[in-house]
Amino acid sequence: MEAVLQISFFFCLLAAGYFFGRRAEKKHYQSIFEREAALRYLVISSDRMPPPEYLKHHGELVCGNVVISLDYFKFVAAGLYQLVGGRIPVYESLLDRARREALLRMQAEAQSAGADAIINLKFETSRISGNAGNGIGSIEVLAYGTALIPKTP
């Protein structure tokens, strides 16, 4: 009887993780698409030197940081993918959302500083918590760069 309860509890967690995780991910992607459209005018480059048209701007460090966690369904799905090898799509969408969100937060900081462009874009990614050392629990992505702000006379 106890085994049935444990299995039922596992499947309830799995169903809740699937339902709420998909819902949260869909809502997050919708928010990302809207903010990306609003910030599309801001030029971003990984070049270290500014283009000639930005040589009369001054630089300021801007950054965006985000921590995103896996839901229970994705944790189980990632474990199953690891059994057979190959791509792990649940991690790919996690990293995609985290990078885009960090980039958007960096762009928002540059926008509030009055920047026209961001150069020398870099990303840092790290795992900040694991599930008993067996997988990725949460990841942190930091995006940073140099905002080019027009000099005021």
Side-chain angles (χ1 to χ4, degrees):
M1 182 65 181
E2 189 172 317
V4 172
L5 285 175
Q6 287 179 347
I7 291 173
S8 298
F9 183 69
F10 170 76
F11 281 109
C12 284
L13 281 177
L14 202 60
Y18 179 78
F19 175 74
F20 291 110
R22 300 274 290 187
R23 186 172 158 207
E25 185 174 282
K26 185 177 179 181
K27 189 175 177 180
H28 188 211
Y29 266 123
Q30 188 174 14
S31 167
I32 286 172
F33 295 146
E34 291 170 5
R35 290 180 290 149
E36 282 178 342
L39 292 169
R40 192 157 288 145
Y41 73 92
L42 202 57
V43 177
I44 300 175
S45 169
S46 59
D47 294 337
R48 295 184 71 184
M49 297 302 295
E53 62 265 26
Y54 295 109
L55 289 177
K56 296 194 180 211
H57 289 57
H58 74 274
E60 182 179 309
L61 177 68
V62 288
C63 61
N65 191 23
V66 67
V67 175
I68 295 186
S69 179
L70 280 177
D71 58 60
Y72 192 73
F73 175 77
K74 285 189 173 186
F75 173 72
V76 172
L80 293 175
Y81 279 114
Q82 288 176 356
L83 287 176
V84 296
R87 290 181 45 231
I88 304 176
V90 294
Y91 287 158
E92 290 175 354
S93 69
L94 179 76
L95 286 168
D96 179 54
R97 285 176 39 216
R99 286 189 187 121
R100 292 169 86 166
E101 181 65 36
L103 190 62
L104 283 168
R105 291 180 182 187
M106 182 193 69
Q107 287 178 293
E109 186 178 328
Q111 181 187 37
S112 67
D116 290 338
I118 300 170
I119 60 168
N120 202 17
L121 171 66
K122 304 263 192 251
F123 285 101
E124 298 287 335
T125 305
S126 64
R127 182 178 83 174
I128 62 167
S129 68
N131 295 318
N134 293 330
I136 296 174
S138 300
I139 60 164
E140 175 190 26
V141 175
L142 170 68
Y144 60 97
T146 304
L148 299 176
I149 302 167
K151 290 181 182 175
T152 55

